[in-house]
């Protein structure tokens, strides 16, 4: 979720001349986190969860003095696998990282992508968050039971929109909802969008019956009253939001999403360790802690090889759930 340069020589000279007052804990030099030219790729459209995560991480890292001038850019397509292919092609590039999550795991499977997350360098899992079940403020569905009732009556006429490809979190969550409500998952009319930002307009315009996305993506619209929150998919209510969990409402679903950062293959140990060090320091910063609270994200920090093992397990889980749902 990084910088050595000849300017370090100049910095050292300045420290000698000016003295101890410049030795602050926020310079990023003590922990080796300064990476000039660092870029964060977002593999979907602006406004989605990967985008919010990457831009928040970049700003927090800069505000904490860990590194400077991180460029964040979007390369959307095919549920994140276009960006993944680009990342893998940047073999040995220690100045590039990609924001990603469960959606990319699912998209690799649903799109039969030639490149997989096993081809990347795992850096860190950052956050975990619940999905939200939302409708437009003028929707006829006032409660989750209203929605489920109409959905059961005619599944095909209540399309659900999600910001991920089949196999991703915004697809799996409503499929699990459908099964819990007695609806065959194959009857569900799921419409995939390339991220929560792209999905939002269709929810607000009632072009889908309801939408499912990460809580952090739609928190502002929910609080502003533009979206009506019917339920959350995780084990507990989200603080500050007035909506039951699906389990509270009588539907046996407990589902959360996660997001993290991967880098190209072929990095040296030093390059990999420097990226991990930057994300470790970011994770420990007060700036990141404040952002997690603001966005409704839970801490799910995991780095390096442990994150790589987790990615492998998630790939197997997606395959298992899709088979279980008959999809």
């Amino acid at each position: 979720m990084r910088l050595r340069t000849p300017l370090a020589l100049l910095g050292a000279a300045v420290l000698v001349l000016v003295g101890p007052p410049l030795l602050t804990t926020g310079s990023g030099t003590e922990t080796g986190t300064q990476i000039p030219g660092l870029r964060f790729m977002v593999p979907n459209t602006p406004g989605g969860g990967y985008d919010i995560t990457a831009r928040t991480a970049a700003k927090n890292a800069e505000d904490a003095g860990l590194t400077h001038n991180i460029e964040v850019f979007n390369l959307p397509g095919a549920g994140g696998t276009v960006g993944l292919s680009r990342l893998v092609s940047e073999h040995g590039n220690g100045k590039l990282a990609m924001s990603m999550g469960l959606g990319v795991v699912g998209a690799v499977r649903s799109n039969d992508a030639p490149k997989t997350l096993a081809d990347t360098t795992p850096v860190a899992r950052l956050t975990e968050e619940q999905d939200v079940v939302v409708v437009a403020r003028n929707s006829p569905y006032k409660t989750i039971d209203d929605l489920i009732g109409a959905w059961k009556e005619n599944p095909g006429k209540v399309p659900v929109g999600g910001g991920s490809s089949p196999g991703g979190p915004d697809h799996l969550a409503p499929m699990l909802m459908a099964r819990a409500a007695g609806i065959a998952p194959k009857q569900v009319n799921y419409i995939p969008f390339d991220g929560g930002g792209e999905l939002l307009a269709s929810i607000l315009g009632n072009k889908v019956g309801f939408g499912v996305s990460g809580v952090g993506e739609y928190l502002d619209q929910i609080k502003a009253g533009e979206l009506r929150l019917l339920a959350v998919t995780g084990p507990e209510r989200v603080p500050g939001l007035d909506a039951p969990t699906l389990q509270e409402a009588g539907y046996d679903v407990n589902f959360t999403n996660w997001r993290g950062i991967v880098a190209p293959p072929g990095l040296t140990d030093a390059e990999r360790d420097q990226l991990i060090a930057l994300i470790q320091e970011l994770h420990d910063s007060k700036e990141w802690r404040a952002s997690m609270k603001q966005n409704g994200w839970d801490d799910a920090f995991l780095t390096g090889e442990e994150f790589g093992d987790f990615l492998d397990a998630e790939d197997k889980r997606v395959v298992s759930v899709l088979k279980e749902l008959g999809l």
Side-chain angles (χ1 to χ4, degrees):
M1 251 322 330
R2 304 183 159 165
L3 170 55
R4 288 174 186 163
T5 165
L7 290 177
L9 296 174
L10 176 59
V14 170
L15 289 177
V16 170
L17 292 172
V18 178
L22 287 182
L23 295 175
T24 66
T25 58
S27 68
T29 56
E30 304 86 3
T31 52
T33 59
Q34 293 283 345
I35 304 178
L38 179 61
R39 307 175 79 208
F40 281 170
M41 182 198 304
V42 177
N44 60 14
T45 54
Y50 300 153
D51 188 69
I52 294 170
T53 301
R55 294 182 190 280
T56 301
K59 184 178 188 305
N60 288 170
E62 292 177 4
D63 288 348
L66 301 177
T67 193
H68 301 286
N69 300 321
I70 301 174
E71 178 190 349
V72 181
F73 69 100
N74 298 76
L75 185 63
T81 56
V82 170
L84 175 62
S85 180
R86 163 71 179 276
L87 186 83
V88 174
S89 74
E90 295 273 349
H91 188 278
N93 184 353
K95 298 179 184 294
L96 179 65
M98 186 178 84
S99 175
M100 49 72 70
L102 180 56
V104 176
V105 179
V108 166
R109 286 294 175 180
S110 61
N111 295 326
D112 195 23
K115 301 300 181 183
T116 75
L117 289 164
D119 297 313
T120 70
T121 298
V123 178
R125 184 183 69 187
L126 286 172
T127 61
E128 184 177 49
E129 72 170 343
Q130 304 196 40
D131 266 1
V132 291
V133 181
V134 292
V135 295
R137 62 183 173 187
N138 61 347
S139 166
Y141 311 126
K142 307 294 185 184
T143 68
I144 188 66
D145 286 332
D146 290 344
L147 170 63
I148 297 293
W151 201 21
K152 288 179 70 172
E153 188 174 329
N154 196 331
K157 288 194 175 180
V158 184
V160 51
S164 58
S165 297
D170 300 349
H171 171 254
L172 294 178
M175 293 301 165
L176 293 170
M177 281 175 57
R179 185 179 65 177
I183 302 168
K186 286 187 177 180
Q187 292 184 294
V188 174
N189 181 10
Y190 177 76
I191 302 175
F193 293 81
D194 205 354
E198 188 177 285
L199 167 64
L200 180 60
S202 290
I203 302 174
L204 294 174
N206 288 304
K207 294 180 180 179
V208 294
F210 67 103
V212 176
S213 195
V215 61
E217 295 175 71
Y218 292 160
L219 198 56
D220 290 344
Q221 289 81 8
I222 292 168
K223 290 184 175 180
E226 297 172 9
L227 293 176
R228 180 182 299 143
L229 175 60
L230 301 184
V232 297
T233 65
E236 298 177 353
R237 290 191 177 211
V238 175
L241 297 181
D242 183 20
T245 67
L246 287 169
Q247 288 183 327
E248 278 184 77
Y251 306 101
D252 188 17
V253 176
N254 182 352
F255 181 87
T256 56
N257 185 18
W258 57 267
R259 296 193 179 94
I261 295 175
V262 293
L267 302 192
T268 65
D269 289 348
E271 288 171 328
R272 180 201 62 207
D273 292 348
Q274 192 176 30
L275 280 168
I276 292 174
L278 172 61
I279 301 306
Q280 177 73 62
E281 291 295 317
L282 169 69
H283 168 264
D284 295 342
S285 71
K286 66 180 187 301
E287 289 84 358
W288 179 250
R289 297 289 177 173
S291 292
M292 285 199 301
K293 183 177 181 180
Q294 179 180 345
N295 287 290
W297 297 335
D298 295 320
D299 191 11
F301 196 60
L302 198 65
T303 61
E305 291 182 5
E306 290 184 338
F307 180 41
D309 292 341
F310 171 79
L311 290 176
D312 182 59
E314 284 294 271
D315 180 56
K316 292 180 173 64
R317 182 170 77 101
V318 166
V319 172
S320 175
V321 172
L322 289 174
K323 286 181 178 179
E324 184 183 342
L325 293 172
L327 301 171

